[in-house]
Amino acid sequence: MPAAVYVLGLTVFCIGTTEFMISGLLPDLAADLAVSVPTVGLLISGYALGVAVGGPLLTVATLRVNRKTSLAGLLVLFILGQTLGALAPGYGVLMAGRVIAALAQGAFFGIGSMVAVDLAGPERRGKALAVMFAGLTVANVFGVPAGTFLSLHAGWRVSFWVVDALAVVALLGVSTLVPRRPGTPHPGIRAELAAFRNPRVWVALTTSMLTQAAIFCCFSYLSPLFTDVSGFSSAAVPPLLVLFGVGCFAGSMVGGRFADRALLPNLYVGTAAMAVALAALAVAAPHGAATVVLLVVFGLAAFSINPALQAQVMREAGEASTLATTTNTSAFNIGNTLGPWLGGLVISAGLGYTALAWVGALLAVAGLGSVAVSDALRRRARRGVPAVPWPAAAPVFTEAR
């Protein structure tokens, strides 16, 4: 795998750590900024909104810009937002810094995916995407706990500065290792928008949203489930989350391998396995040993589909897939927001933490249904039966399903 793909993975690690580490900094931020914990929690929602809205807009703005230049510019924007957050004298400036940093994420993920696939070759598309987006897994396993540790011992601003420094290293890597390829002329914004006339693109985006909602409905509240239901001590929570992260990392690698060979079967098996694991967790949560095993299985199944989710959108969008892949990042973040919100409703209704796993399982089943719809649409297209009377729909490719 080209070294530049690993540099992209480092950047994803920096971005992922910034996105998720706020959850570990909530008490310190609330005390230092003199605001409530729920108010600090809005920093997470503000970031997600910045990703969902800013990603497609910046992608459109950079369509005709060389991809290497776009990646470097987006990293500079991320660094500026992160620096503003580290220097923030108050809550409002910190929120502004978070939103600025978030604007870069969606576009970077979309353009970076195209660059990673271009460097690795189409036959290794899934593996390249797995390497790049493994940065998100590593961010959850090491980045978020490290940020929390630094905040406890040196202050939350140090956590921001460390991520900032790593982002500068990533910027140097992009500047030196990502080749400046002229490539083929870009088809233009009309072609990019025309890809969204293909109903299979929307089904793929829906699959991404539903599966991420299934993951984060349960993942966001794993800590109280461990302590209040499974009987673990608070000290055991970080090691348990590391075990979940190990499962996620293994799932990313396995998923990247099979996304190249059989994309839809990968989605079928991974999504079904996640639904089963969540349902089993809902039943077995009071038993500590079973919880540990199911936690690893949940992480493995949940992240085994991530490379395929991104590859599916790229495949369905055809040649003009830059905007579609960026929009897929927005779909991920909508799911990341929807899942915890639904989980909060479940908790507020007094249904208990195990009910979260049941809701996650139902969302995974809905995602499985979305995969089945995508499969049916592709089979109809192969038989020459259009799903809708949209002649501009992206062409069907004959690669392995």
mmCIF file with all atom_site columns, all heavy atoms in Angstrom, residues 124-131 250-261 266 303-304 307-308:
data_model
loop_
_atom_site.group_PDB
_atom_site.id
_atom_site.type_symbol
_atom_site.label_atom_id
_atom_site.label_alt_id
_atom_site.label_comp_id
_atom_site.label_asym_id
_atom_site.label_entity_id
_atom_site.label_seq_id
_atom_site.pdbx_PDB_ins_code
_atom_site.Cartn_x
_atom_site.Cartn_y
_atom_site.Cartn_z
_atom_site.occupancy
_atom_site.B_iso_or_equiv
_atom_site.pdbx_formal_charge
_atom_site.auth_seq_id
_atom_site.auth_comp_id
_atom_site.auth_asym_id
_atom_site.auth_atom_id
_atom_site.pdbx_PDB_model_num
ATOM 1   N N   . ARG A 1 124 ? -7.806  -2.828  -5.392 1.00 0.00 ? 124 ARG A N   1
ATOM 2   C CA  . ARG A 1 124 ? -7.549  -2.780  -3.948 1.00 0.00 ? 124 ARG A CA  1
ATOM 3   C C   . ARG A 1 124 ? -8.307  -1.622  -3.306 1.00 0.00 ? 124 ARG A C   1
ATOM 4   O O   . ARG A 1 124 ? -7.863  -1.065  -2.307 1.00 0.00 ? 124 ARG A O   1
ATOM 5   C CB  . ARG A 1 124 ? -6.048  -2.660  -3.681 1.00 0.00 ? 124 ARG A CB  1
ATOM 6   C CG  . ARG A 1 124 ? -5.229  -3.871  -4.094 1.00 0.00 ? 124 ARG A CG  1
ATOM 7   C CD  . ARG A 1 124 ? -3.842  -3.844  -3.490 1.00 0.00 ? 124 ARG A CD  1
ATOM 8   N NE  . ARG A 1 124 ? -3.059  -2.708  -3.985 1.00 0.00 ? 124 ARG A NE  1
ATOM 9   C CZ  . ARG A 1 124 ? -1.863  -2.355  -3.490 1.00 0.00 ? 124 ARG A CZ  1
ATOM 10  N NH1 . ARG A 1 124 ? -1.335  -3.041  -2.498 1.00 0.00 ? 124 ARG A NH1 1
ATOM 11  N NH2 . ARG A 1 124 ? -1.211  -1.323  -3.998 1.00 0.00 ? 124 ARG A NH2 1
ATOM 12  N N   . ARG A 1 125 ? -9.443  -1.263  -3.869 1.00 0.00 ? 125 ARG A N   1
ATOM 13  C CA  . ARG A 1 125 ? -10.214 -0.129  -3.376 1.00 0.00 ? 125 ARG A CA  1
ATOM 14  C C   . ARG A 1 125 ? -10.624 -0.323  -1.922 1.00 0.00 ? 125 ARG A C   1
ATOM 15  O O   . ARG A 1 125 ? -10.423 0.566   -1.079 1.00 0.00 ? 125 ARG A O   1
ATOM 16  C CB  . ARG A 1 125 ? -11.457 0.067   -4.249 1.00 0.00 ? 125 ARG A CB  1
ATOM 17  C CG  . ARG A 1 125 ? -12.383 1.148   -3.732 1.00 0.00 ? 125 ARG A CG  1
ATOM 18  C CD  . ARG A 1 125 ? -13.461 1.509   -4.743 1.00 0.00 ? 125 ARG A CD  1
ATOM 19  N NE  . ARG A 1 125 ? -14.273 0.364   -5.128 1.00 0.00 ? 125 ARG A NE  1
ATOM 20  C CZ  . ARG A 1 125 ? -15.189 0.413   -6.101 1.00 0.00 ? 125 ARG A CZ  1
ATOM 21  N NH1 . ARG A 1 125 ? -15.355 1.522   -6.792 1.00 0.00 ? 125 ARG A NH1 1
ATOM 22  N NH2 . ARG A 1 125 ? -15.891 -0.654  -6.409 1.00 0.00 ? 125 ARG A NH2 1
ATOM 23  N N   . GLY A 1 126 ? -11.220 -1.464  -1.615 1.00 0.00 ? 126 GLY A N   1
ATOM 24  C CA  . GLY A 1 126 ? -11.677 -1.697  -0.254 1.00 0.00 ? 126 GLY A CA  1
ATOM 25  C C   . GLY A 1 126 ? -10.547 -1.690  0.752  1.00 0.00 ? 126 GLY A C   1
ATOM 26  O O   . GLY A 1 126 ? -10.679 -1.141  1.851  1.00 0.00 ? 126 GLY A O   1
ATOM 27  N N   . LYS A 1 127 ? -9.401  -2.278  0.374  1.00 0.00 ? 127 LYS A N   1
ATOM 28  C CA  . LYS A 1 127 ? -8.262  -2.324  1.298  1.00 0.00 ? 127 LYS A CA  1
ATOM 29  C C   . LYS A 1 127 ? -7.718  -0.923  1.555  1.00 0.00 ? 127 LYS A C   1
ATOM 30  O O   . LYS A 1 127 ? -7.369  -0.571  2.693  1.00 0.00 ? 127 LYS A O   1
ATOM 31  C CB  . LYS A 1 127 ? -7.171  -3.220  0.720  1.00 0.00 ? 127 LYS A CB  1
ATOM 32  C CG  . LYS A 1 127 ? -6.019  -3.480  1.684  1.00 0.00 ? 127 LYS A CG  1
ATOM 33  C CD  . LYS A 1 127 ? -5.034  -4.499  1.116  1.00 0.00 ? 127 LYS A CD  1
ATOM 34  C CE  . LYS A 1 127 ? -5.676  -5.871  1.012  1.00 0.00 ? 127 LYS A CE  1
ATOM 35  N NZ  . LYS A 1 127 ? -4.708  -6.903  0.566  1.00 0.00 ? 127 LYS A NZ  1
ATOM 36  N N   . ALA A 1 128 ? -7.640  -0.096  0.492  1.00 0.00 ? 128 ALA A N   1
ATOM 37  C CA  . ALA A 1 128 ? -7.149  1.269   0.662  1.00 0.00 ? 128 ALA A CA  1
ATOM 38  C C   . ALA A 1 128 ? -8.079  2.068   1.568  1.00 0.00 ? 128 ALA A C   1
ATOM 39  O O   . ALA A 1 128 ? -7.623  2.812   2.455  1.00 0.00 ? 128 ALA A O   1
ATOM 40  C CB  . ALA A 1 128 ? -7.027  1.954   -0.700 1.00 0.00 ? 128 ALA A CB  1
ATOM 41  N N   . LEU A 1 129 ? -9.387  1.920   1.374  1.00 0.00 ? 129 LEU A N   1
ATOM 42  C CA  . LEU A 1 129 ? -10.347 2.623   2.220  1.00 0.00 ? 129 LEU A CA  1
ATOM 43  C C   . LEU A 1 129 ? -10.274 2.127   3.657  1.00 0.00 ? 129 LEU A C   1
ATOM 44  O O   . LEU A 1 129 ? -10.430 2.905   4.612  1.00 0.00 ? 129 LEU A O   1
ATOM 45  C CB  . LEU A 1 129 ? -11.759 2.440   1.667  1.00 0.00 ? 129 LEU A CB  1
ATOM 46  C CG  . LEU A 1 129 ? -12.044 3.118   0.321  1.00 0.00 ? 129 LEU A CG  1
ATOM 47  C CD1 . LEU A 1 129 ? -13.420 2.717   -0.199 1.00 0.00 ? 129 LEU A CD1 1
ATOM 48  C CD2 . LEU A 1 129 ? -11.949 4.635   0.449  1.00 0.00 ? 129 LEU A CD2 1
ATOM 49  N N   . ALA A 1 130 ? -10.022 0.824   3.830  1.00 0.00 ? 130 ALA A N   1
ATOM 50  C CA  . ALA A 1 130 ? -9.896  0.274   5.181  1.00 0.00 ? 130 ALA A CA  1
ATOM 51  C C   . ALA A 1 130 ? -8.696  0.861   5.902  1.00 0.00 ? 130 ALA A C   1
ATOM 52  O O   . ALA A 1 130 ? -8.770  1.202   7.089  1.00 0.00 ? 130 ALA A O   1
ATOM 53  C CB  . ALA A 1 130 ? -9.778  -1.246  5.114  1.00 0.00 ? 130 ALA A CB  1
ATOM 54  N N   . VAL A 1 131 ? -7.563  1.001   5.193  1.00 0.00 ? 131 VAL A N   1
ATOM 55  C CA  . VAL A 1 131 ? -6.364  1.582   5.801  1.00 0.00 ? 131 VAL A CA  1
ATOM 56  C C   . VAL A 1 131 ? -6.611  3.036   6.175  1.00 0.00 ? 131 VAL A C   1
ATOM 57  O O   . VAL A 1 131 ? -6.281  3.489   7.277  1.00 0.00 ? 131 VAL A O   1
ATOM 58  C CB  . VAL A 1 131 ? -5.162  1.466   4.835  1.00 0.00 ? 131 VAL A CB  1
ATOM 59  C CG1 . VAL A 1 131 ? -3.983  2.292   5.348  1.00 0.00 ? 131 VAL A CG1 1
ATOM 60  C CG2 . VAL A 1 131 ? -4.754  0.014   4.669  1.00 0.00 ? 131 VAL A CG2 1
ATOM 61  N N   . ALA A 1 250 ? -10.021 -4.820  13.930 1.00 0.00 ? 250 ALA A N   1
ATOM 62  C CA  . ALA A 1 250 ? -10.017 -6.094  13.204 1.00 0.00 ? 250 ALA A CA  1
ATOM 63  C C   . ALA A 1 250 ? -11.126 -6.108  12.154 1.00 0.00 ? 250 ALA A C   1
ATOM 64  O O   . ALA A 1 250 ? -10.929 -6.578  11.024 1.00 0.00 ? 250 ALA A O   1
ATOM 65  C CB  . ALA A 1 250 ? -10.203 -7.254  14.182 1.00 0.00 ? 250 ALA A CB  1
ATOM 66  N N   . GLY A 1 251 ? -12.289 -5.556  12.506 1.00 0.00 ? 251 GLY A N   1
ATOM 67  C CA  . GLY A 1 251 ? -13.383 -5.497  11.552 1.00 0.00 ? 251 GLY A CA  1
ATOM 68  C C   . GLY A 1 251 ? -13.051 -4.650  10.340 1.00 0.00 ? 251 GLY A C   1
ATOM 69  O O   . GLY A 1 251 ? -13.399 -5.004  9.201  1.00 0.00 ? 251 GLY A O   1
ATOM 70  N N   . SER A 1 252 ? -12.369 -3.524  10.550 1.00 0.00 ? 252 SER A N   1
ATOM 71  C CA  . SER A 1 252 ? -11.975 -2.669  9.432  1.00 0.00 ? 252 SER A CA  1
ATOM 72  C C   . SER A 1 252 ? -11.059 -3.401  8.470  1.00 0.00 ? 252 SER A C   1
ATOM 73  O O   . SER A 1 252 ? -11.201 -3.290  7.239  1.00 0.00 ? 252 SER A O   1
ATOM 74  C CB  . SER A 1 252 ? -11.286 -1.399  9.952  1.00 0.00 ? 252 SER A CB  1
ATOM 75  O OG  . SER A 1 252 ? -12.178 -0.611  10.702 1.00 0.00 ? 252 SER A OG  1
ATOM 76  N N   . MET A 1 253 ? -10.114 -4.150  9.008  1.00 0.00 ? 253 MET A N   1
ATOM 77  C CA  . MET A 1 253 ? -9.174  -4.876  8.149  1.00 0.00 ? 253 MET A CA  1
ATOM 78  C C   . MET A 1 253 ? -9.879  -6.010  7.390  1.00 0.00 ? 253 MET A C   1
ATOM 79  O O   . MET A 1 253 ? -9.665  -6.199  6.188  1.00 0.00 ? 253 MET A O   1
ATOM 80  C CB  . MET A 1 253 ? -8.033  -5.453  9.001  1.00 0.00 ? 253 MET A CB  1
ATOM 81  C CG  . MET A 1 253 ? -7.142  -4.385  9.649  1.00 0.00 ? 253 MET A CG  1
ATOM 82  S SD  . MET A 1 253 ? -6.290  -3.311  8.443  1.00 0.00 ? 253 MET A SD  1
ATOM 83  C CE  . MET A 1 253 ? -7.341  -1.846  8.501  1.00 0.00 ? 253 MET A CE  1
ATOM 84  N N   . VAL A 1 254 ? -10.733 -6.756  8.103  1.00 0.00 ? 254 VAL A N   1
ATOM 85  C CA  . VAL A 1 254 ? -11.462 -7.845  7.444  1.00 0.00 ? 254 VAL A CA  1
ATOM 86  C C   . VAL A 1 254 ? -12.415 -7.282  6.397  1.00 0.00 ? 254 VAL A C   1
ATOM 87  O O   . VAL A 1 254 ? -12.503 -7.783  5.271  1.00 0.00 ? 254 VAL A O   1
ATOM 88  C CB  . VAL A 1 254 ? -12.242 -8.676  8.493  1.00 0.00 ? 254 VAL A CB  1
ATOM 89  C CG1 . VAL A 1 254 ? -13.173 -9.676  7.803  1.00 0.00 ? 254 VAL A CG1 1
ATOM 90  C CG2 . VAL A 1 254 ? -11.270 -9.411  9.410  1.00 0.00 ? 254 VAL A CG2 1
ATOM 91  N N   . GLY A 1 255 ? -13.122 -6.212  6.757  1.00 0.00 ? 255 GLY A N   1
ATOM 92  C CA  . GLY A 1 255 ? -14.064 -5.611  5.822  1.00 0.00 ? 255 GLY A CA  1
ATOM 93  C C   . GLY A 1 255 ? -13.381 -5.069  4.588  1.00 0.00 ? 255 GLY A C   1
ATOM 94  O O   . GLY A 1 255 ? -13.911 -5.186  3.474  1.00 0.00 ? 255 GLY A O   1
ATOM 95  N N   . GLY A 1 256 ? -12.206 -4.463  4.766  1.00 0.00 ? 256 GLY A N   1
ATOM 96  C CA  . GLY A 1 256 ? -11.474 -3.957  3.618  1.00 0.00 ? 256 GLY A CA  1
ATOM 97  C C   . GLY A 1 256 ? -11.073 -5.062  2.665  1.00 0.00 ? 256 GLY A C   1
ATOM 98  O O   . GLY A 1 256 ? -11.072 -4.881  1.437  1.00 0.00 ? 256 GLY A O   1
ATOM 99  N N   . ARG A 1 257 ? -10.759 -6.215  3.209  1.00 0.00 ? 257 ARG A N   1
ATOM 100 C CA  . ARG A 1 257 ? -10.359 -7.346  2.372  1.00 0.00 ? 257 ARG A CA  1
ATOM 101 C C   . ARG A 1 257 ? -11.537 -7.875  1.553  1.00 0.00 ? 257 ARG A C   1
ATOM 102 O O   . ARG A 1 257 ? -11.401 -8.155  0.353  1.00 0.00 ? 257 ARG A O   1
ATOM 103 C CB  . ARG A 1 257 ? -9.783  -8.458  3.256  1.00 0.00 ? 257 ARG A CB  1
ATOM 104 C CG  . ARG A 1 257 ? -9.129  -9.603  2.495  1.00 0.00 ? 257 ARG A CG  1
ATOM 105 C CD  . ARG A 1 257 ? -8.538  -10.612 3.459  1.00 0.00 ? 257 ARG A CD  1
ATOM 106 N NE  . ARG A 1 257 ? -7.789  -11.634 2.767  1.00 0.00 ? 257 ARG A NE  1
ATOM 107 C CZ  . ARG A 1 257 ? -6.514  -11.553 2.424  1.00 0.00 ? 257 ARG A CZ  1
ATOM 108 N NH1 . ARG A 1 257 ? -5.842  -10.446 2.698  1.00 0.00 ? 257 ARG A NH1 1
ATOM 109 N NH2 . ARG A 1 257 ? -5.900  -12.529 1.802  1.00 0.00 ? 257 ARG A NH2 1
ATOM 110 N N   . PHE A 1 258 ? -12.694 -7.987  2.190  1.00 0.00 ? 258 PHE A N   1
ATOM 111 C CA  . PHE A 1 258 ? -13.835 -8.591  1.506  1.00 0.00 ? 258 PHE A CA  1
ATOM 112 C C   . PHE A 1 258 ? -14.644 -7.587  0.691  1.00 0.00 ? 258 PHE A C   1
ATOM 113 O O   . PHE A 1 258 ? -15.402 -7.980  -0.195 1.00 0.00 ? 258 PHE A O   1
ATOM 114 C CB  . PHE A 1 258 ? -14.731 -9.311  2.513  1.00 0.00 ? 258 PHE A CB  1
ATOM 115 C CG  . PHE A 1 258 ? -14.158 -10.609 2.980  1.00 0.00 ? 258 PHE A CG  1
ATOM 116 C CD1 . PHE A 1 258 ? -13.487 -10.694 4.189  1.00 0.00 ? 258 PHE A CD1 1
ATOM 117 C CD2 . PHE A 1 258 ? -14.262 -11.748 2.199  1.00 0.00 ? 258 PHE A CD2 1
ATOM 118 C CE1 . PHE A 1 258 ? -12.936 -11.894 4.618  1.00 0.00 ? 258 PHE A CE1 1
ATOM 119 C CE2 . PHE A 1 258 ? -13.719 -12.958 2.618  1.00 0.00 ? 258 PHE A CE2 1
ATOM 120 C CZ  . PHE A 1 258 ? -13.050 -13.029 3.831  1.00 0.00 ? 258 PHE A CZ  1
ATOM 121 N N   . ALA A 1 259 ? -14.498 -6.286  0.986  1.00 0.00 ? 259 ALA A N   1
ATOM 122 C CA  . ALA A 1 259 ? -15.203 -5.287  0.189  1.00 0.00 ? 259 ALA A CA  1
ATOM 123 C C   . ALA A 1 259 ? -14.723 -5.303  -1.249 1.00 0.00 ? 259 ALA A C   1
ATOM 124 O O   . ALA A 1 259 ? -15.475 -4.966  -2.172 1.00 0.00 ? 259 ALA A O   1
ATOM 125 C CB  . ALA A 1 259 ? -15.001 -3.893  0.794  1.00 0.00 ? 259 ALA A CB  1
ATOM 126 N N   . ASP A 1 260 ? -13.467 -5.688  -1.468 1.00 0.00 ? 260 ASP A N   1
ATOM 127 C CA  . ASP A 1 260 ? -12.938 -5.772  -2.825 1.00 0.00 ? 260 ASP A CA  1
ATOM 128 C C   . ASP A 1 260 ? -13.501 -6.982  -3.569 1.00 0.00 ? 260 ASP A C   1
ATOM 129 O O   . ASP A 1 260 ? -13.673 -6.951  -4.775 1.00 0.00 ? 260 ASP A O   1
ATOM 130 C CB  . ASP A 1 260 ? -11.402 -5.880  -2.792 1.00 0.00 ? 260 ASP A CB  1
ATOM 131 C CG  . ASP A 1 260 ? -10.741 -4.573  -2.358 1.00 0.00 ? 260 ASP A CG  1
ATOM 132 O OD1 . ASP A 1 260 ? -11.255 -3.510  -2.747 1.00 0.00 ? 260 ASP A OD1 1
ATOM 133 O OD2 . ASP A 1 260 ? -9.741  -4.623  -1.635 1.00 0.00 ? 260 ASP A OD2 1
ATOM 134 N N   . ARG A 1 261 ? -13.772 -8.064  -2.853 1.00 0.00 ? 261 ARG A N   1
ATOM 135 C CA  . ARG A 1 261 ? -14.158 -9.316  -3.501 1.00 0.00 ? 261 ARG A CA  1
ATOM 136 C C   . ARG A 1 261 ? -15.672 -9.464  -3.641 1.00 0.00 ? 261 ARG A C   1
ATOM 137 O O   . ARG A 1 261 ? -16.146 -9.990  -4.651 1.00 0.00 ? 261 ARG A O   1
ATOM 138 C CB  . ARG A 1 261 ? -13.615 -10.501 -2.680 1.00 0.00 ? 261 ARG A CB  1
ATOM 139 C CG  . ARG A 1 261 ? -12.103 -10.492 -2.530 1.00 0.00 ? 261 ARG A CG  1
ATOM 140 C CD  . ARG A 1 261 ? -11.668 -11.662 -1.658 1.00 0.00 ? 261 ARG A CD  1
ATOM 141 N NE  . ARG A 1 261 ? -10.212 -11.689 -1.482 1.00 0.00 ? 261 ARG A NE  1
ATOM 142 C CZ  . ARG A 1 261 ? -9.576  -12.600 -0.770 1.00 0.00 ? 261 ARG A CZ  1
ATOM 143 N NH1 . ARG A 1 261 ? -10.254 -13.570 -0.170 1.00 0.00 ? 261 ARG A NH1 1
ATOM 144 N NH2 . ARG A 1 261 ? -8.260  -12.551 -0.650 1.00 0.00 ? 261 ARG A NH2 1
ATOM 145 N N   . ASN A 1 266 ? -20.582 -8.714  1.794  1.00 0.00 ? 266 ASN A N   1
ATOM 146 C CA  . ASN A 1 266 ? -19.916 -8.117  2.954  1.00 0.00 ? 266 ASN A CA  1
ATOM 147 C C   . ASN A 1 266 ? -20.922 -7.317  3.784  1.00 0.00 ? 266 ASN A C   1
ATOM 148 O O   . ASN A 1 266 ? -20.972 -7.418  5.019  1.00 0.00 ? 266 ASN A O   1
ATOM 149 C CB  . ASN A 1 266 ? -18.782 -7.229  2.464  1.00 0.00 ? 266 ASN A CB  1
ATOM 150 C CG  . ASN A 1 266 ? -17.965 -6.595  3.589  1.00 0.00 ? 266 ASN A CG  1
ATOM 151 O OD1 . ASN A 1 266 ? -17.095 -5.786  3.323  1.00 0.00 ? 266 ASN A OD1 1
ATOM 152 N ND2 . ASN A 1 266 ? -18.233 -6.930  4.829  1.00 0.00 ? 266 ASN A ND2 1
ATOM 153 N N   . PHE A 1 303 ? -17.690 -2.430  12.345 1.00 0.00 ? 303 PHE A N   1
ATOM 154 C CA  . PHE A 1 303 ? -16.697 -1.747  11.507 1.00 0.00 ? 303 PHE A CA  1
ATOM 155 C C   . PHE A 1 303 ? -16.271 -2.580  10.303 1.00 0.00 ? 303 PHE A C   1
ATOM 156 O O   . PHE A 1 303 ? -15.561 -2.074  9.443  1.00 0.00 ? 303 PHE A O   1
ATOM 157 C CB  . PHE A 1 303 ? -15.482 -1.354  12.352 1.00 0.00 ? 303 PHE A CB  1
ATOM 158 C CG  . PHE A 1 303 ? -15.677 -0.061  13.084 1.00 0.00 ? 303 PHE A CG  1
ATOM 159 C CD1 . PHE A 1 303 ? -16.584 0.029   14.130 1.00 0.00 ? 303 PHE A CD1 1
ATOM 160 C CD2 . PHE A 1 303 ? -14.982 1.076   12.719 1.00 0.00 ? 303 PHE A CD2 1
ATOM 161 C CE1 . PHE A 1 303 ? -16.791 1.220   14.800 1.00 0.00 ? 303 PHE A CE1 1
ATOM 162 C CE2 . PHE A 1 303 ? -15.179 2.282   13.380 1.00 0.00 ? 303 PHE A CE2 1
ATOM 163 C CZ  . PHE A 1 303 ? -16.088 2.351   14.428 1.00 0.00 ? 303 PHE A CZ  1
ATOM 164 N N   . SER A 1 304 ? -16.729 -3.830  10.215 1.00 0.00 ? 304 SER A N   1
ATOM 165 C CA  . SER A 1 304 ? -16.409 -4.624  9.025  1.00 0.00 ? 304 SER A CA  1
ATOM 166 C C   . SER A 1 304 ? -17.130 -4.105  7.792  1.00 0.00 ? 304 SER A C   1
ATOM 167 O O   . SER A 1 304 ? -16.721 -4.379  6.658  1.00 0.00 ? 304 SER A O   1
ATOM 168 C CB  . SER A 1 304 ? -16.787 -6.097  9.258  1.00 0.00 ? 304 SER A CB  1
ATOM 169 O OG  . SER A 1 304 ? -18.210 -6.247  9.309  1.00 0.00 ? 304 SER A OG  1
ATOM 170 N N   . PRO A 1 307 ? -15.708 0.004   5.183  1.00 0.00 ? 307 PRO A N   1
ATOM 171 C CA  . PRO A 1 307 ? -15.109 0.146   3.844  1.00 0.00 ? 307 PRO A CA  1
ATOM 172 C C   . PRO A 1 307 ? -16.117 -0.132  2.732  1.00 0.00 ? 307 PRO A C   1
ATOM 173 O O   . PRO A 1 307 ? -16.120 0.556   1.704  1.00 0.00 ? 307 PRO A O   1
ATOM 174 C CB  . PRO A 1 307 ? -13.986 -0.901  3.847  1.00 0.00 ? 307 PRO A CB  1
ATOM 175 C CG  . PRO A 1 307 ? -13.647 -1.099  5.290  1.00 0.00 ? 307 PRO A CG  1
ATOM 176 C CD  . PRO A 1 307 ? -14.956 -0.969  6.008  1.00 0.00 ? 307 PRO A CD  1
ATOM 177 N N   . ALA A 1 308 ? -16.989 -1.115  2.937  1.00 0.00 ? 308 ALA A N   1
ATOM 178 C CA  . ALA A 1 308 ? -17.987 -1.449  1.920  1.00 0.00 ? 308 ALA A CA  1
ATOM 179 C C   . ALA A 1 308 ? -19.019 -0.339  1.761  1.00 0.00 ? 308 ALA A C   1
ATOM 180 O O   . ALA A 1 308 ? -19.504 -0.078  0.658  1.00 0.00 ? 308 ALA A O   1
ATOM 181 C CB  . ALA A 1 308 ? -18.682 -2.765  2.269  1.00 0.00 ? 308 ALA A CB  1
#
